[in-house]
Each structure stands twice: as structure tokens, then as C-alpha cells.
Amino acid sequence: MPDTRYLLTAIAVSAAITWALRALPFTVLAPLRASATVKYLGARMPAGVMVILFVYCLRDLPLPGPRAAAPLAALAVTIGLHLWRRNALLSILGGTIVSVALASTFFAH
């Protein structure tokens, strides 16, 4: 059986390392918040992520076929929601719900 002092030391070291690893990103990234590059990426990344998701989700889609109906309907809902509300989270959730609902009900294999 390990000594009580050894166990308490191990717990203290583990707690200190955990705390340091959680605090490190805040201390390292604090000076970057004023950076012009970070501001530029913050403004441009949401659109870039959406383009990457668009290409990834539709890259293997057989356009002349019934399998294309669910993803294309979800894409239309996503675009419509985003143009209407300008809320990326709402657009992504709405499109995902439509895609899953259509793919698992009407257009299931």
C-alpha cells in the first residue's frame, strides 16, 4: 500500500498539471487577440468552414438520382435559413435536421 504522503503528492502534482494545461491557452492566446491576422481569420473562417463542409458533403453526390434529393433539400433549407436569419448555428442545425429526417424516412435505402 502506497504511503499517504506519496498519494497526496501525486494528487497535488496531477491537479497542478491539469490546472496549468487548462490555463495555458488563455495566457498564450491573450496577446494574439489584438493581432490583425487573428481578426482577419475570425472574420473569414466561418465562410471558409461552410465552403469546406459544402464540398465535403456533396462531393460524392450522384446528381441525376433519387439519392440527391435529401442532401439538396437540406442544402436549400440551410441556405434559406441563413439568408433569412443570418445565424450560422440555426442554419447548420436546420439543414442537419432536414437531411437526417429525409434520409432516414423518405429516401432511405
Side-chain angles (χ1 to χ4, degrees):
M1 182 80 176
D3 184 25
T4 304
R5 190 174 29 188
Y6 175 79
L7 291 175
L8 292 175
T9 304
I11 291 171
V13 168
S14 297
I17 290 172
T18 300
W19 182 85
L21 288 175
R22 290 182 183 209
L24 182 67
F26 295 104
T27 58
V28 170
L29 295 178
L32 292 177
R33 292 186 187 175
S35 168
T37 303
V38 172
K39 288 181 183 178
Y40 175 80
L41 290 175
R44 301 296 189 265
M45 282 303 290
V49 169
M50 292 301 287
V51 169
I52 291 168
L53 286 172
F54 171 77
V55 170
Y56 177 78
C57 291
L58 300 178
R59 74 180 190 280
D60 294 330
L61 190 64
L63 284 180
R67 283 190 55 221
L72 292 177
L75 177 64
V77 167
T78 303
I79 291 170
L81 280 173
H82 192 70
L83 291 175
W84 177 47
R85 302 299 293 182
R86 300 272 187 221
N87 185 334
L89 182 61
L90 176 67
S91 304
I92 293 168
L93 285 176
T96 301
I97 290 168
V98 168
S99 177
V100 170
L102 291 176
S104 64
T105 58
F106 297 114
F107 301 104
H109 291 99

